[in-house]
Amino acid sequence: MGVEISEAFRLPEGSLVKIRGWVASKSEIGGLIFITLRDGTGYIQAAGKRGVVEEESFQRLKEVAKETSVEVEGTIRIDRRAPKGREVAIKSLKIIASADKWPITKSAVKSTSFLYDYRHLSIRGRKASSVIKIRWGVIKAAIEFFSQRGYCLISPPTIVQSACEGGATLFELDYFGQKAYLSQSAQFYEEAAICALGKVFVIQPAFRAEKSKTPKHLTEFWMIEAEKAFMDQEENMRLQEDLITYICKRVVEDHKEELAVLGREFKPPDTSFPRVTYDEVLKFASERNLSFKWGEDIPTAVEALLSKTQSKPFFITDYPLSARSFYHMTKPDNENITLSADLIAPEGHGEIATGGQRIHDYQTLLKRIESQEMPKENFRWYLELRRYGMPPHSGFGVGVERLTKWIAGLRHIRAASLFPRTPTRVNP
RNA sequence: GCCGCCGUAGCUCAGCGUGGUAGAGCAGCUGGCUGUUAACCAGUUGGUCGUCGGUUCAAGUCCGACCGGCGGCGCCA
């Protein structure tokens, strides 16, 4: 019976095993051939000695190329010379599917563009696959978190006509002759759903047609979003703290090995993240000759510098309305400042979440849409929600790949995506 | 959208300043090696020098345009 490699590490010495996997590496020393097998659960060395291996199998072993898929039968042997002190002593080897010359070489790993041109193959690498597993850990933990708190997962459409963010960054498509767009956020649909379900969350892709060539932008990325009725901005920030803290803790518990492969020493933050107001950031910037105008978005350099002074995530609160989308509620005592916050990761990783309290009053929202000269007809249903008992409510969105980038300590967000979509890359 | 850098073998790069018949390492292939961990040793295959145009007796090298990628900014999440 076949065993997985992770299981083979738990079996006693001498166990007869059959392992199916791919040849991750090979080295030949005369009548002794080593192959490293990989099956998605782990790596194990298999050693074939002439005379011990059946002769036909030994010939196949000599010919086998990197990334061939094989079935190896042999016995577990404890041997300190083997990686992790254990290997399979090969008795026989079957070739399941042969492989051409493998293009991902030692020098190829130096070339970002080559690795992403060959992403369909380079994801087999130890580091690439570890990141994908960590990303799964992030999503899995988020599902656990919301599930424990009684949130309902909803799956809104990603083909939409109303834009949550600015219209300039929408991917337009022809929907049987009508204009439609790829969704930038599920937020509007969550707002509709909370009046049916109370508290909801979403895990699905979002699309932004921004030609942003930075280490933290993808044109297609996944968001974890949540929205809750009767929740104010204060409770909203606490919810984000709890979520991020939970995810970090769970990923560290479940993915020690993957983090080690990446050389990442990650300490999960304890709860209660610092809060900095927009005005304090402005002051921080002007003290360092990086000043910007009140009302503008915070420049990358300022955010990065601030982020490097922190050891855990922190909120930037009280953003000016001019730097925010139309639906944000403003403070009761200042209509120029929104009840919203960005959550910034430390070590210069930058923004990982944004949240805020939404306008729940019909007239206020109508005035806001009109004052920003937005196409009212596209927001008809969104506005209409405010005529049928819409309570105060808040929510937020976390970028899955940005969170993964921080936890895994990645230099670029594209490494957190299986097949990243960036302004210069839509294939493979 | 703006600024900068780069396109030469499957990969990483040298060659370009001062124009004159294309180089190295890695990978592959062949042979050797019974404990490799980025193995080692010997041999060897492999080229539309991104594309188009210009200058010149002659262009990988000089000039122009374009295309592609990377890094950063802006915009944004």
Side-chain angles (χ1 to χ4, degrees):
Chain A
M1 201 188 79
V3 299
E4 293 188 335
I5 289 170
S6 57
E7 206 182 331
F9 272 95
R10 294 191 291 266
L11 292 170
E13 184 166 23
S15 303
L16 185 67
V17 292
K18 193 186 276 182
I19 293 174
R20 281 185 290 250
W22 292 263
V23 176
S25 67
K26 180 181 176 182
S27 70
E28 198 178 333
I29 303 100
L32 175 60
I33 301 173
F34 297 103
I35 55 176
T36 307
L37 289 173
R38 165 178 56 76
D39 73 347
T41 73
Y43 290 77
I44 195 164
Q45 174 165 287
K49 277 185 186 171
R50 170 171 276 147
V52 176
V53 182
E54 293 164 8
E55 190 50 34
E56 275 185 20
S57 286
F58 192 79
Q59 286 311 315
R60 285 195 288 271
L61 189 57
K62 279 188 82 149
E63 284 159 22
V64 83
K66 212 172 166 183
E67 291 304 321
T68 302
S69 61
V70 296
E71 182 180 280
V72 167
E73 206 169 346
T75 52
I76 299 290
R77 182 168 64 218
I78 308 293
D79 191 322
R80 73 169 60 151
R81 293 169 298 185
K84 290 193 202 167
R86 175 179 282 245
E87 67 185 13
V88 177
I90 303 173
K91 283 198 158 60
S92 69
L93 174 134
K94 265 192 248 174
I95 290 172
I96 309 290
S98 62
D100 288 350
K101 178 179 151 189
W102 184 244
I104 317 289
T105 60
K106 282 194 291 258
S107 45
V109 302
K110 290 185 201 165
S111 167
T112 301
S113 57
F114 184 83
L115 284 182
Y116 287 94
D117 284 345
Y118 283 82
R119 185 68 169 169
H120 52 298
L121 302 179
S122 63
I123 50 173
R124 299 186 191 191
R126 216 181 272 251
K127 285 187 178 176
S129 53
S130 292
V131 175
I132 295 162
K133 286 183 181 176
I134 289 168
R135 180 182 177 279
W136 158 230
V138 167
I139 291 175
K140 188 171 50 179
I143 293 171
E144 284 170 12
F145 176 87
F146 286 118
S147 182
Q148 284 163 15
R149 291 181 179 225
Y151 279 68
C152 180
L153 175 78
I154 59 166
S155 300
T158 49
I159 300 173
V160 302
Q161 283 191 318
S162 36
C164 298
E165 311 297 332
T169 66
L170 288 164
F171 282 111
E172 190 178 311
L173 58 94
D174 175 10
Y175 194 78
F176 306 113
Q178 282 191 75
K179 270 188 190 177
Y181 310 97
L182 294 177
S183 171
Q184 297 166 314
S185 158
Q187 183 195 317
F188 290 180
Y189 295 96
E190 289 184 292
E191 288 185 60
I194 53 167
C195 294
L197 301 155
K199 45 194 176 186
V200 300
F201 77 109
V202 169
I203 301 178
Q204 66 182 34
F207 305 86
R208 307 277 167 99
E210 292 158 3
K211 286 187 182 168
S212 306
K213 286 185 277 183
T214 84
K216 56 176 193 176
H217 284 83
L218 292 169
T219 54
E220 176 176 359
F221 60 100
W222 279 59
M223 277 214 281
I224 300 166
E225 294 172 274
E227 198 80 20
K228 188 182 175 211
F230 309 106
M231 177 165 77
D232 63 15
Q233 172 59 3
E234 187 52 40
E235 188 187 343
N236 189 27
M237 284 194 281
R238 285 201 303 275
L239 182 63
Q240 290 172 62
E241 283 175 348
D242 290 349
L243 172 68
I244 299 299
T245 306
Y246 184 82
I247 290 174
C248 291
K249 185 175 87 89
R250 292 290 290 120
V251 169
V252 167
E253 284 167 4
D254 284 1
H255 296 282
K256 274 194 182 66
E257 204 177 314
E258 285 77 18
L259 289 167
V261 165
L262 298 167
R264 174 64 163 165
E265 283 174 33
F266 181 74
K267 282 200 182 112
D270 48 15
T271 197
S272 172
F273 299 160
R275 283 145 206 228
V276 187
T277 65
Y278 177 92
D279 287 358
E280 285 165 353
V281 175
L282 185 60
K283 185 160 171 273
F284 171 90
S286 56
E287 284 166 4
R288 285 159 184 79
N289 285 322
L290 291 165
S291 203
F292 56 96
K293 275 189 201 145
W294 194 92
E296 286 177 353
D297 234 328
I298 296 168
T300 306
V302 175
E303 189 193 274
L305 193 60
L306 191 60
S307 161
K308 280 172 188 160
T309 67
Q310 302 288 326
S311 58
K312 60 182 179 181
F314 61 99
F315 288 105
I316 300 178
T317 66
D318 297 33
Y319 271 88
L321 180 58
S322 55
R324 285 300 203 222
S325 294
F326 71 96
Y327 51 73
H328 280 92
M329 194 141 139
T330 50
K331 293 186 110 170
D333 57 347
N334 189 335
E335 60 178 23
N336 293 314
I337 296 177
T338 59
L339 288 165
S340 73
D342 282 353
L343 184 61
I344 314 294
E347 305 168 54
H349 282 278
E351 189 180 335
I352 49 173
T354 298
Q357 191 165 337
R358 333 297 192 186
I359 297 170
H360 60 275
D361 177 69
Y362 184 88
Q363 286 303 331
T364 312
L365 186 61
L366 179 63
K367 272 184 209 146
R368 190 68 67 72
I369 289 172
E370 283 171 348
S371 72
Q372 300 202 5
E373 292 170 4
M374 305 184 71
K376 229 188 312 182
E377 58 284 0
N378 285 356
F379 299 101
R380 185 192 57 78
W381 68 264
Y382 184 66
L383 250 178
E384 195 173 76
L385 292 172
R386 275 73 187 166
R387 291 171 55 198
Y388 297 93
M390 177 60 94
H393 64 285
S394 306
F396 63 89
V398 181
V400 171
E401 289 80 12
R402 282 191 179 180
L403 185 53
T404 305
K405 174 179 180 282
W406 167 50
I407 294 174
L410 308 174
R411 270 195 300 265
H412 201 292
I413 195 169
R414 65 186 158 221
S417 174
L418 188 63
F419 289 97
R421 293 291 172 258
T422 65
T424 56
R425 199 170 285 285
V426 66
N427 187 53

